[in-house]
């Protein structure tokens, strides 16, 4: 991981130095941990873990925790200490991990959409198709696919020579880094668009097409069954619609805009905080399970005391 221009660290211009910002992000981070841990604990300690949709949801919550931690911990450190420097190695590591865990979320959302498609469009074959082996295979394929994607971006960036060391962002991302390169990056920018933007666009189109087919097949269901199916699908569609606008950051030409920092705050911090609410507020089964698991654990702790 040796750089070619004696750049040993980068200065993140990022956000304004403000203690209120630190308090806000600390509260957001605590909320992210609380909400996602409640979901993971409730699923793993109940029969929901045997259902593919909730199996994927527990791993989505886990990826949210890792994804947010790669960004927000360093951001809060900068806000608290006033030192906005990040070493070259840590910068490249952050570039890899944010795309790795963020991309795993995309693939898990795709797996959840496939699960809903099979459950609604092929209900008689659902138990055979979505067995635990198939779910594990989808999860492993998500990790492997995203490893290749993140490694590609990492290799495209790590061999670039950098001249200035001021990154106009609050974390190390590919486009702000390309802006600092001391060489032409047109070809690399095109590869980034092909790697991230087009891939995200294809997955988004596939997801939307699957839900069009789901909505079409729901016409044959009774009103009660349709409402139950929509209650699970609507949560997933909401998360997909909120998360996928990020693809427009990587499908455009290599450039950075002042609005990018605000936009990335939304999908790196606010969406992981909203996900637990989205998946519980309209899901009666999830709400009942959380209440039951929490009550049982409190009862067991009370008896031990």
């Amino acid at each position: 991981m040796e750089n070619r221009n004696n750049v040993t660290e980068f200065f993140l211009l990022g956000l304004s130095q403000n203690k209120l910002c630190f308090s806000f992000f600390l509260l957001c981070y605590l909320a992210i941990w609380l909400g996602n841990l409640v979901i993971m604990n409730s699923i793993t300690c109940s029969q929901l873990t045997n259902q593919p949709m909730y199996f994927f949801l527990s791993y989505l919550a886990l990826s949210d925790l890792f994804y947010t931690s790669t960004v927000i911990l360093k951001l809060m450190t900068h806000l608290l200490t006033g030192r906005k420097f990040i070493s070259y190695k840590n910068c490249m590591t952050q570039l890899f991990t944010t795309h790795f865990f963020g991309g795993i979320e995309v693939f898990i959302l795709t797996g959840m959409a496939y699960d809903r498609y099979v459950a609604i469009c092929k209900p008689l074959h659902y138990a055979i198709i979505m067995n635990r082996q198939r779910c594990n295979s989808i999860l492993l394929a998500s990790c492997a696919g995203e490893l290749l994607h993140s490694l590609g971006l990492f290799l495209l960036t790590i061999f670039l020579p950098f001249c200035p060391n001021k990154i106009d962002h609050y974390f190390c991302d590919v486009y702000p880094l390309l802006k600092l390169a001391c060489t032409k990056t047109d070809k690399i920018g095109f590869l980034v668009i092909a790697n991230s933007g087009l891939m995200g666009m294809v997955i988004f189109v596939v997801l939307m097409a699957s839900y069009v087919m789901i909505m079409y097949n729901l016409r044959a269901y009774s009103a009660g069954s349709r409402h139950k199916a929509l209650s699970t699908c609507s949560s997933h569609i909401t998360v997909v619609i909120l998360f996928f606008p990020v693809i427009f950051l990587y499908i455009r030409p290599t450039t950075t805009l002042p609005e990018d920092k605000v936009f990335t705050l939304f999908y790196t911090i606010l969406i992981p905080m909203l996900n637990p609410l989205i998946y519980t507020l309209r899901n009666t089964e999830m709400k009942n399970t959380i209440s039951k698991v929490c009550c049982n654990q409190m009862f067991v702790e009370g008896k031990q005391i």
Side-chain angles (χ1 to χ4, degrees):
M1 205 177 290
E2 183 180 356
N3 68 76
R4 296 160 54 184
N5 253 346
N6 296 322
V7 175
T8 58
E9 60 182 9
F10 294 99
F11 182 79
L12 296 166
L13 297 178
L15 306 172
S16 60
Q17 189 69 24
N18 194 320
K19 297 298 182 183
L20 290 177
C21 286
F22 171 81
S23 302
F24 172 74
F25 291 128
L26 177 60
L27 290 175
C28 288
Y29 191 52
L30 293 175
I32 290 168
W33 269 90
L34 177 63
N36 286 289
L37 283 178
V38 166
I39 284 183
M40 292 167 58
N41 180 62
S42 300
I43 292 174
T44 54
C45 295
S46 70
Q47 294 299 317
L48 291 184
T49 190
N50 297 320
Q51 299 184 35
M53 184 184 72
Y54 296 105
F55 170 82
F56 288 127
L57 179 57
S58 64
Y59 280 99
L60 181 69
L62 181 63
S63 64
D64 268 340
L65 293 179
F66 283 113
Y67 178 51
T68 304
S69 296
T70 59
V71 175
I72 198 171
L73 288 177
K74 197 66 177 177
L75 173 60
M76 290 194 300
T77 302
H78 293 162
L79 291 171
L80 186 64
T81 63
R83 294 193 76 257
K84 296 186 178 182
F85 288 95
I86 183 171
S87 69
Y88 181 87
K89 291 184 178 180
N90 287 340
C91 183
M92 295 299 136
T93 302
Q94 190 179 62
L95 170 69
F96 177 84
T97 53
T98 51
H99 280 272
F100 178 71
F101 291 115
I104 285 178
E105 285 198 40
V106 173
F107 283 110
I108 290 177
L109 289 172
T110 307
M112 294 173 74
Y114 177 69
D115 169 72
R116 291 299 85 200
Y117 167 78
V118 175
I120 294 171
C121 300
K122 299 182 179 181
L124 298 179
H125 301 91
Y126 178 72
I128 298 174
I129 297 175
M130 294 305 297
N131 54 48
R132 182 47 58 92
Q133 184 179 359
R134 176 65 60 84
C135 292
N136 288 332
S137 297
I138 291 174
L139 192 63
L140 288 174
S142 300
C143 294
E146 196 45 46
L147 179 63
L148 292 175
H149 160 73
S150 304
L151 190 60
L153 289 180
F154 178 78
L155 293 176
L156 287 173
T157 309
I158 195 171
F159 295 111
L160 288 174
F162 297 105
C163 297
N165 69 336
K166 292 185 178 180
I167 302 176
D168 189 16
H169 216 310
Y170 63 90
F171 73 99
C172 291
D173 201 5
V174 59
Y175 277 176
L177 284 169
L178 290 182
K179 192 176 179 181
L180 303 183
C182 305
T183 184
K184 289 185 177 181
T185 58
D186 297 342
K187 293 181 180 179
I188 294 178
F190 176 78
L191 292 174
V192 170
I193 292 173
N195 188 314
S196 298
L198 291 180
M199 182 189 71
M201 180 65 75
V202 169
I203 293 176
F204 181 74
V205 171
V206 169
L207 284 172
M208 290 298 102
S210 69
Y211 274 103
V212 169
M213 297 178 67
I214 287 173
M215 296 304 173
Y216 179 81
N217 281 271
L218 280 176
R219 298 183 308 160
Y221 281 58
S222 64
S225 299
R226 191 184 304 124
H227 176 74
K228 184 178 180 180
L230 285 174
S231 67
T232 57
C233 291
S234 60
S235 300
H236 186 255
I237 293 174
T238 302
V239 172
V240 169
I241 292 174
L242 286 175
F243 189 82
F244 265 83
V246 66
I247 64 178
F248 294 105
L249 287 179
Y250 301 103
I251 204 168
R252 69 190 188 199
T254 309
T255 184
T256 56
L257 301 173
E259 296 81 11
D260 288 352
K261 286 182 281 189
V262 177
F263 190 65
T264 50
L265 276 175
F266 183 71
Y267 72 81
T268 57
I269 297 173
L270 295 183
I271 290 180
M273 185 174 63
L274 293 175
N275 279 352
L277 294 176
I278 294 171
Y279 278 109
T280 55
L281 289 179
R282 295 198 61 185
N283 191 324
T284 304
E285 191 174 20
M286 192 71 216
K287 286 190 289 187
N288 292 339
T289 300
I290 290 174
S291 300
K292 188 182 298 184
V293 170
C294 289
C295 289
N296 288 342
Q297 291 181 345
M298 290 175 64
F299 178 73
V300 170
E301 289 178 1
K303 287 184 65 177
Q304 291 176 347
I305 293 175

